[in-house]
């Protein structure tokens, strides 16, 4: 039923997008631009140029910050904005920030809470002092988790036909749009995820997704 409602809602949107009202087509997940400066513009942000502070100002929302420690002890810094309304849709937003190994180690050592994840990773909550330090970090990847799920035909209709599709699990496919610096995890059971990247970071993003453990592909 959720998939059916999603199809009906997005089909209505497709019809609305042909109208002259500019508000109808603003801030949509398929509105992606590669700039001459080597960044990706989406949701009024420029990945590779926009800082965490600027995203906070744009969305009027303060995120929770955590260092993610993978099963192989790789570290990354993520800002969790929770559910936001962008354009006509609601979605959960997560920004992965640019942080060098020394910063990641510092933040992980000074964590204030350690939580296990289903994938075998650990979520290490960042201290208040380190949250302030992270405000000027650049956004490397933006993860957009829509409330509704997208059928393959609707993805092709709005994002284009040029995706490379790789099967990750029995129910999860990865869709890669290299020309748009976009990757998707499309789960037949629900829980789609869109990953936006700057051009220079897209190859690393693709490798990261292809190496996801099966459990994490479902998170």
């Amino acid at each position: 039923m959720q998939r059916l409602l999603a199809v009906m809602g997005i089909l209505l949107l497709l019809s609305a997008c042909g109208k002259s009202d500019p508000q109808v087509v603003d801030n949509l997940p398929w509105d992606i631009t590669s700039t001459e400066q080597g960044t990706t513009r989406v949701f009024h942000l420029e990945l590779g140029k926009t800082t965490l502070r600027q995203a906070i100002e744009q969305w009027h929302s303060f995120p929770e910050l955590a260092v993610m420690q993978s099963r192989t002890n790789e570290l990354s810094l993520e800002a969790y904005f929770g559910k936001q309304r962008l354009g006509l849709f609601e979605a959960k937003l997560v920004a992965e920030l640019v942080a060098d190994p020394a910063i990641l180690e510092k933040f992980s050592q000074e964590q204030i809470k350690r939580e296990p994840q289903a994938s075998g990773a650990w979520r290490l909550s960042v201290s208040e002092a380190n949250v302030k330090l992270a405000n000027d970090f650049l956004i490397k990847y933006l993860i957009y988790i829509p409330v509704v799920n997208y059928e393959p035909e609707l993805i092709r209709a709005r994002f284009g036909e040029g995706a490379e599709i790789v099967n990750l699990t029995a129910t999860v496919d990865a869709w890669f749009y290299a020309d748009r610096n976009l990757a998707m995890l499309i789960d037949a059971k629900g829980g789609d995820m869109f990953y936006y990247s700057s051009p220079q970071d897209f190859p690393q993003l693709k490798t990261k997704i292809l190496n996801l453990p099966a459990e994490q592909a479902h998170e």
Side-chain angles (χ1 to χ4, degrees), residues 29-85:
W30 48 81
D31 289 339
I32 309 167
T33 304
S34 295
T35 72
E36 294 181 356
Q37 292 72 37
T39 65
T40 298
R41 183 180 293 116
V42 64
F43 303 123
H44 300 296
L45 305 182
E46 287 191 47
L47 305 182
K49 182 179 178 181
T50 296
T51 65
L52 176 60
R53 186 192 309 276
Q54 290 170 323
I56 291 171
E57 293 171 351
Q58 176 67 40
W59 293 331
H60 307 291
S61 177
F62 290 95
E64 297 180 7
L65 264 67
V67 173
M68 295 302 299
Q69 181 180 14
S70 72
R71 293 192 300 191
T72 57
N73 291 321
E74 296 178 2
L75 302 177
S76 59
L77 179 60
E78 297 184 348
Y80 299 83
F81 283 90
K83 188 181 292 186
Q84 305 288 324
R85 176 172 289 277

Side-chain angles (χ1 to χ4, degrees), residues 170-187:
T171 63
V172 180
D173 291 331
W175 293 49
F176 298 104
Y177 286 90
D179 60 329
R180 311 194 79 182
N181 307 299
L182 169 69
M184 301 176 174
L185 291 180
I186 304 301
D187 190 341

